[in-house]
Amino acid sequence: MSIERVRASLGGISGIHVTPYQADGSLNEALLAKLVRRQADAGIHNIVSGGNTGEFFSLAFDEVVRLHAVAFAAMEGSKSVRTAAVGRSLREALATAKLAISAGAEALMSHHPLDPFAAPQAQADYFIAIAEESAVPVVAYLRSDAIPVGEVVRIARHPNIAGIKFATPNLMHLAECIRATTDCAAVWVCGLAEGWAPAFYAAGAKGFTSGLVNVVPERSLAIWAALEAGRYHEARTLIALVAPFEAMRTKFNNGANVTVVKEAMALSGWDVGPVRLPGLPNLSGGDREELGRILASIGHPMENVHAAE
């Protein structure tokens, strides 16, 4: 897997699949394989196993290892890039990475270090340490704009950093980082899903991450195609239709983020199980009814676009 192919996939959609559980709370491997294959068959460019939508921080080490192995086996023969999310302690991240690569990972996505006492320059060192040790390209996942531009530049300039998934709404900081890395090959990716993608594209980022692909991958692909073609009115119209879904995910200080995706999948016939604590396990009855109305309004990815023009 060349770093150029990984970067090309980052310019598309990075789909973060959920982690399905059985009734006893263990991984539902059969269902996991089916839902990952569904994203691959839909044409999602980069499939990330163990992202935040996959409840990475609620999974034990051995569960993450198994999650990667099952997901990558399900993607065999597809064109989607197989990306393994790693994180937590540096030692655990490197151990997870080694096993994921053995299982078929073609790239790594390094979660932002969440230690409350992490120094900005040391956070940059964390990403660089993983890139140094990894046998495959690495995507750095930035969830804080506390890392100054100079340190972000250090990350972007590492030869094994394929891209930076920027997941804060500080567009001025993003713009400064992009201006400071015009000599770098690293790709800047919108890490805040479909709703923020047009603004990120305007700032110089490419592609976006998505949890919506678990529910209606066709919608996400239609938004991506419109942005790539510069059809911003069409992209905004499509995004407006899914905006209530994304807004519901932000409830309870983003505590319902994964819950809404999983509940939407359940309403669509995918029994993926509840979200683990400390996420919100289930929606209330009223919120579930509202979610059902939102899903009904989304419909086919292209049905309402031209009528709104």
Side-chain angles (χ1 to χ4, degrees), residues 110 113 126 149 154 176 205 247 297:
S110 174
Y126 175 91
V149 173
R154 279 207 302 128
E176 290 177 20
S297 72

Side-chain angles (χ1 to χ4, degrees), residues 50-288:
N52 282 332
T53 304
E55 301 178 71
F56 177 82
F57 290 98
S58 297
L59 299 174
F61 175 81
D62 60 336
E63 289 179 314
V64 173
V65 171
R66 190 62 191 155
L67 186 78
H68 291 158
V70 173
F72 300 151
M75 293 168 61
E76 190 66 35
S78 76
K79 294 181 179 180
S80 303
V81 170
R82 302 187 292 271
T83 297
V86 301
R88 296 191 278 246
S89 73
L90 179 57
R91 180 173 294 185
E92 183 174 350
L94 294 175
T96 308
K98 184 176 181 179
L99 292 169
I101 293 168
S102 296
E106 299 168 302
L108 302 179
M109 191 277 288
S110 174
H111 281 282
H112 196 113
L114 297 179
D115 190 314
F117 301 121
Q121 66 271 30
Q123 292 179 56
D125 289 339
Y126 175 91
F127 289 117
I128 290 170
I130 293 173
E132 282 287 328
E133 294 292 328
S134 176
V136 298
V138 174
V139 180
Y141 183 10
L142 298 186
R143 286 184 55 83
S144 169
D145 50 21
I147 302 180
V149 173
E151 297 299 329
V152 176
V153 170
R154 279 207 302 128
I155 299 169
R157 284 188 174 154
H158 191 280
N160 201 32
I161 293 289
I164 295 180
K165 175 182 169 182
F166 194 91
T168 91
N170 190 338
L171 292 176
M172 291 303 294
H173 187 56
L174 171 66
E176 290 177 20
C177 290
I178 291 177
R179 285 195 297 269
T181 55
T182 54
D183 60 337
C184 299
V187 177
W188 289 87
V189 180
C190 172
L192 295 176
E194 287 82 353
W196 283 88
F200 273 68
Y201 264 71
K206 294 281 287 182
F208 54 85
T209 60
S210 176
L212 181 67
V213 293
N214 289 281
V215 186
V216 278
E218 301 83 4
R219 173 72 69 192
S220 299
L221 286 162
I223 292 169
W224 174 80
L227 288 170
E228 284 293 299
R231 300 192 303 268
Y232 283 89
H233 175 84
E234 180 180 315
R236 290 193 302 271
T237 302
L238 288 165
I239 290 169
L241 293 171
V242 301
F245 176 85
E246 294 297 329
M248 181 174 277
R249 294 178 70 189
T250 67
K251 291 189 69 171
F252 312 118
N253 196 28
N254 275 312
N257 196 300
V258 185
T259 316
V260 169
V261 176
K262 280 195 158 185
E263 293 269 11
M265 295 183 74
L267 290 171
S268 303
W270 295 79
D271 184 10
V272 292
V275 172
R276 285 183 179 176
L277 296 173
L280 182 71
N282 300 105
L283 294 178
S284 68
D287 280 346
R288 191 176 297 112

